[in-house]
């Protein structure tokens, strides 16, 4: 082929490519800069004359150079469906809608440490806006091959979790409980006592007064110095509550990229799902399970999967899950259990009997524990769980006095060790118990239980009574 023929072929391809581009532009013109508000129903806003992508942010004028920020959550035909980031007060028919951008960016950096911000990144602590680099709010998905295995335990300063439900660096755990059982209190202990380099706390959908209480009482001045708090209370819009979770995760990802071990605490995953449900219903999605829309169950793994071990850093995430009516088969609780690497269940019965933290060691599990703990510790944990489960299975017989001591050695051991197990689980709010101390206490407790099991049957065979009063269940 001659050089002239090659040149003509190249020119032809250039002209063909240019024509294809022009035809595409004619068929798909650039998004228009503005449109008009044509309908408002509840939280659903419909806009005509504006073409842009889902997730774009828009400015809706309300008069006197004021306006409201809204986000595109869907479309129907030529109409865009928007939802306001704040209250919709002041909107009028035909209000002008202007495109702001294709997506929100998050400010990240060292300036955020010790700060309290809302879902939009605005400061709530009275200081100036934080400065730093910008990253995408929704982030990018992580390749499975880029994730590292969980090989090191994380000391969270809570004895029962460190020893019986050991959490590894990069693990995602769920904290399941009903209302008023102590989820936020336990999160506060973990925030103050953990050995992580940075703590990012997302308070989503909680009561407004609890934000200040958490910062001043649960977190404290020392805990706040290495923490970032993203607070979106219950009186904020669903968009802000969802954005608060994404923003907290994006901030945690930034510190992980610097090689730091980050503890991400999200309170709560249920409020995130409820806010996403409101957005989905406004966009026209059908409810599929207790009013939750399909987008809720597809968004949950997108959020949770951003935590883990990547590069030299890690994000260890703990998500609280509010179970309605203490029903662990709630759709969000059931979906979260399938995604997370373990779950800690708080028992209302134990809380009412004065055990704090009220961790139900029988119903809780850490899926990574077998990989990061020695065999001896695992053996001791199995012994405690067996005695705890045995006592619960025979609790009715024991409480009414129908069980006779000496009938079953395992039940006898369970009865005699029940107070010791409860004492082991309990921990004052201001007391930190490191992992070495907790493992040593676990070993002593397990040895005491084994000695009791060995001695007691021998005395009973000799015709002696144990003399142990049967403890009444709290």
């Amino acid at each position: 082929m001659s050089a002239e023929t090659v040149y003509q072929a190249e020119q032809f391809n250039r002209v063909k490519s240019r024509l294809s581009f022009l035809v595409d532009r004619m068929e798909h013109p650039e998004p228009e800069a503005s449109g008009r508000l044509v309908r408002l129903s509840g939280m659903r806003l419909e806009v005509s004359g504006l073409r842009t992508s889902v997730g774009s942010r828009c400015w809706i004028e309300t008069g006197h150079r004021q306006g409201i920020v809204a986000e595109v959550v869907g479309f129907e035909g030529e109409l865009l469906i928007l939802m306001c980031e704040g209250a919709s007060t002041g909107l009028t028919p035909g209000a002008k809608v202007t495109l702001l951008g294709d997506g929100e960016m998050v400010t990240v950096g060292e300036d955020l440490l010790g700060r309290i911000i809302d879902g939009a990144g605005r400061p709530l602590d009275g200081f100036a806006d934080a400065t730093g680099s910008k990253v995408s709010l929704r982030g990018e998905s992580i390749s499975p091959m880029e994730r590292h295995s969980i090989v090191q335990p994380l000391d969270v300063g809570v004895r029962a979790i460190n020893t019986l439900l050991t959490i590894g660096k990069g693990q995602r755990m769920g904290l399941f409980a009903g209302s008023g059982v102590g989820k936020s209190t336990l999160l506060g202990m973990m925030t103050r006592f953990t050995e992580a380099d940075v703590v990012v706390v997302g308070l989503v959908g909680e009561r407004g007064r609890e934000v200040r209480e958490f910062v001043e009482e649960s977190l404290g001045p020392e805990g706040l110095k290495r923490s970032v708090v993203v607070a979106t209370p219950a009186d904020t819009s669903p968009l802000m509550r969802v954005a608060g979770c994404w923003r907290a995760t994006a901030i945690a990802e930034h510190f992980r990229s610097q090689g730091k071990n980050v503890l991400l605490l999200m309170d709560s995953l249920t409020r995130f799902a409820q806010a996403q449900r409101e957005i989905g219903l406004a966009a026209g999605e059908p409810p599929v399970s207790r009013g939750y829309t399909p987008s809720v169950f597809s968004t949950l793994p997108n959020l949770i999967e951003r935590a883990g071990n990547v590069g030299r850093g890690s994000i260890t995430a703990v998500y609280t899950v509010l179970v309605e009516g203490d029903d662990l088969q709630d759709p969000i609780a059931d979906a979260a259990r399938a995604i997370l690497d373990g779950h800690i269940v708080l028992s209302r019965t134990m809380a009412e009997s004065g055990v704090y933290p009220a961790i139900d060691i029988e119903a809780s599990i850490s899926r990574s524990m077998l990989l990061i703990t020695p065999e001896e510790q695992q053996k001791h944990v199995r012994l405690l769980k067996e005695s705890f489960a045995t006592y619960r299975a025979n609790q009715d017989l024991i409480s009414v006095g129908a069980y006779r001591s000496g009938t079953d050695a395992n039940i006898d051991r369970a009865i005699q060790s029940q107070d010791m197990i409860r004492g082991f689980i309990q921990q004052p709010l201001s007391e930190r118990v490191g992992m070495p101390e907790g493992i040593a206490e676990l070993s002593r407790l397990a040895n005491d239980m084994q000695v009791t099991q060995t001695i007691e049957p021998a005395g009973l065979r000799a015709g002696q009574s144990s003399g142990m009063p049967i403890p009444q269940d709290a």
Side-chain angles (χ1 to χ4, degrees):
M1 183 180 294
S2 64
E4 183 178 357
T5 304
V6 173
Y7 175 78
Q8 290 176 349
E10 291 176 352
Q11 288 294 100
F12 175 79
N13 290 332
R14 289 194 184 98
V15 173
K16 182 180 178 181
S17 177
R18 180 63 178 171
L19 287 175
S20 298
F21 174 77
L22 292 175
V23 171
D24 184 74
R25 287 288 298 272
M26 293 175 64
E27 294 178 350
H28 305 91
E30 289 290 324
E32 299 176 22
S34 64
R36 295 290 174 180
L37 179 64
V38 296
R39 187 169 185 266
L40 186 153
S41 177
M43 295 182 293
R44 177 188 172 108
L45 282 66
E46 296 181 2
V47 174
S48 66
L50 181 65
R51 294 188 61 185
T52 186
S53 59
V54 174
S56 299
R57 303 173 72 237
C58 300
W59 176 263
I60 307 178
E61 295 183 358
T62 58
H64 304 291
R65 297 183 179 180
Q66 297 181 348
I68 295 172
V69 178
E71 182 178 317
V72 180
V73 297
F75 57 86
E76 290 183 1
E78 296 297 322
L79 294 177
L80 291 179
I81 302 171
L82 284 73
M83 180 176 286
C84 293
E85 291 186 356
S88 58
T89 306
L91 294 179
T92 58
K96 185 178 180 180
V97 182
T98 308
L99 182 64
L100 288 178
D102 290 334
E104 190 174 356
M105 303 298 287
V106 178
T107 300
V108 295
E110 298 293 329
D111 286 351
L112 283 174
L113 293 176
R115 299 299 306 273
I116 308 164
I117 59 177
D118 66 3
R122 296 182 293 260
L124 297 176
D125 49 14
F127 297 102
D129 292 344
T131 58
S133 57
K134 300 282 187 178
V135 298
S136 174
L137 178 68
R138 306 277 172 155
E140 298 180 358
S141 60
I142 304 172
S143 169
M145 301 308 296
E146 293 180 3
R147 297 180 181 272
H148 300 303
S149 301
I150 300 171
V151 295
Q152 292 182 334
L154 178 68
D155 188 347
V156 297
V158 180
R159 178 172 49 229
I161 297 177
N162 279 344
T163 57
L164 307 179
L165 303 164
T166 309
I167 298 177
K169 292 181 180 178
Q171 189 171 347
R172 292 86 48 88
M173 290 287 287
L175 186 58
F176 293 71
S179 57
V181 185
K183 299 185 302 299
S184 299
T185 303
L186 182 55
L187 283 185
M189 294 177 66
M190 298 173 66
T191 306
R192 293 193 307 273
F193 300 151
T194 184
E195 64 175 11
D197 302 320
V198 177
V199 180
V200 181
V201 183
L203 302 177
V204 181
E206 299 298 325
R207 292 179 288 271
R209 66 170 180 81
E210 291 185 342
V211 176
R212 190 182 189 96
E213 290 178 359
F214 184 88
V215 172
E216 294 182 351
E217 299 177 12
S218 299
L219 199 57
E222 292 300 319
L224 184 60
K225 288 180 181 179
R226 57 169 180 162
S227 304
V228 182
V229 179
V230 182
T232 51
D235 58 350
T236 57
S237 71
L239 282 176
M240 281 293 97
R241 279 176 267 153
V242 169
C245 293
W246 291 113
R247 184 173 295 272
T249 305
I251 293 171
E253 285 181 318
H254 166 74
F255 288 109
R256 178 181 62 185
S257 66
Q258 295 182 332
K260 296 182 178 180
N261 295 318
V262 183
L263 178 63
L264 173 63
L265 304 176
M266 195 75 71
D267 187 14
S268 71
L269 196 64
T270 305
R271 304 299 186 195
F272 170 82
Q274 291 172 348
Q276 185 63 44
R277 174 177 61 184
E278 294 181 47
I279 295 173
L281 291 174
E285 286 188 72
V288 293
S289 179
R290 291 197 186 180
Y292 288 103
T293 57
S295 63
V296 173
F297 301 100
S298 63
T299 305
L300 282 176
N302 293 338
L303 177 71
I304 295 173
E305 283 296 318
R306 291 174 64 179
N309 295 326
V310 179
R312 296 181 295 108
S314 67
I315 297 179
T316 307
V318 178
Y319 302 92
T320 67
V321 180
L322 177 63
V323 289
E324 299 179 1
D326 294 337
D327 180 16
L328 292 176
Q329 304 307 316
D330 176 84
I332 300 304
D334 193 48
R337 274 199 308 271
I339 305 169
L340 295 167
D341 301 323
H343 50 272
I344 301 171
V345 179
L346 300 186
S347 166
R348 186 175 298 277
T349 301
M350 294 180 65
E352 291 174 348
S353 65
V355 179
Y356 287 100
I359 299 175
D360 187 342
I361 61 175
E362 181 184 8
S364 306
I365 188 173
S366 172
R367 296 180 182 174
S368 301
M369 185 172 177
L370 295 179
L371 303 175
I372 57 178
T373 55
E375 178 61 32
E376 184 180 8
Q377 179 182 343
Q378 297 171 21
K379 178 181 177 182
H380 294 161
V381 171
R382 285 194 295 269
L383 178 63
L384 259 70
K385 284 194 171 186
E386 287 173 4
S387 294
F388 191 82
T390 300
Y391 183 85
R392 278 198 168 181
N394 299 274
Q395 188 170 0
D396 292 340
L397 291 176
I398 297 171
S399 298
V400 300
Y403 174 76
R404 298 186 60 183
S405 180
T407 304
D408 188 294
N410 290 330
I411 298 179
D412 291 339
R413 181 186 64 193
I415 294 174
Q416 296 169 22
S417 62
Q418 198 61 208
D419 289 340
M420 292 187 291
I421 294 175
R422 286 173 174 258
F424 183 81
I425 296 173
Q426 291 188 79
Q427 182 175 330
L429 301 181
S430 59
E431 177 185 344
R432 183 187 190 279
V433 179
M435 188 166 291
E437 297 90 337
I439 293 176
E441 292 182 33
L442 173 65
S443 178
R444 288 194 294 270
L445 174 58
N447 290 334
D448 291 344
M449 292 172 60
Q450 290 171 338
V451 169
T452 301
Q453 183 185 19
T454 303
I455 295 176
E456 183 64 22
L460 292 172
R461 283 195 299 269
Q464 300 173 359
S465 172
S466 66
M468 290 287 294
I470 298 177
Q472 295 298 317
D473 177 60

